[in-house]
Amino acid sequence: MAEIIAKSKMYRDERAKDRLEMEAKTDKLDAALDDILPGLQKGPSRNAVVQSVADKEYDKMFVELATEKRAIATDRLKTPEEVNRRHLGFRSRCFLLFFC
């Protein structure tokens, strides 16, 4: 029984030690975060590039072309041979329906 209690205390001490180490690492990261936080905040960038008028016009034209409605393909026109072939096929079917 004493052995079980000793193991329990040992595991409890290990968990407490791990927890203290994790808290120390967290505190260290929190301190480092204060140093880099100003660089992560949103807002005007210090390295912002000023766009020229030509660049702005190009961007505007690019967006217009990208959103422009495109042409849709239509049915092609049939050649005179195709029209005659269809017409002859229709006549032959009519002939078969009425005279058979």
Side-chain angles (χ1 to χ4, degrees), residues 2-17:
E3 185 179 323
I4 295 173
I5 295 172
K7 281 186 179 181
S8 175
K9 287 183 181 182
M10 182 182 70
Y11 290 135
R12 185 179 53 209
D13 291 340
E14 284 180 11
R15 285 193 308 264
K17 179 182 168 188

Side-chain angles (χ1 to χ4, degrees), residues 7 22-23 30 35 56 62 66 69 85 88-89 99:
K7 281 186 179 181
M22 187 61 70
E23 286 177 9
D30 286 344
D35 294 338
K56 289 180 183 178
F62 180 81
K69 189 170 184 169
R85 197 176 320 135
L88 290 175
F99 295 108

Side-chain angles (χ1 to χ4, degrees), residues 45-95:
S45 174
R46 288 178 246 156
N47 299 329
V49 177
V50 179
Q51 284 187 329
S52 68
V53 175
D55 288 340
K56 289 180 183 178
E57 288 178 15
Y58 173 81
D59 290 342
K60 183 179 176 184
M61 190 177 279
F62 180 81
V63 170
E64 286 177 10
L65 288 173
T67 58
E68 187 175 87
K69 189 170 184 169
R70 291 178 173 80
I72 299 172
T74 59
D75 292 335
R76 68 176 186 85
L77 297 177
K78 295 185 181 191
T79 62
E81 294 92 22
E82 290 173 329
V83 172
N84 288 336
R85 197 176 320 135
R86 183 170 184 254
H87 186 66
L88 290 175
F90 178 73
R91 280 188 169 175
S92 65
R93 281 189 298 239
C94 290
F95 178 78

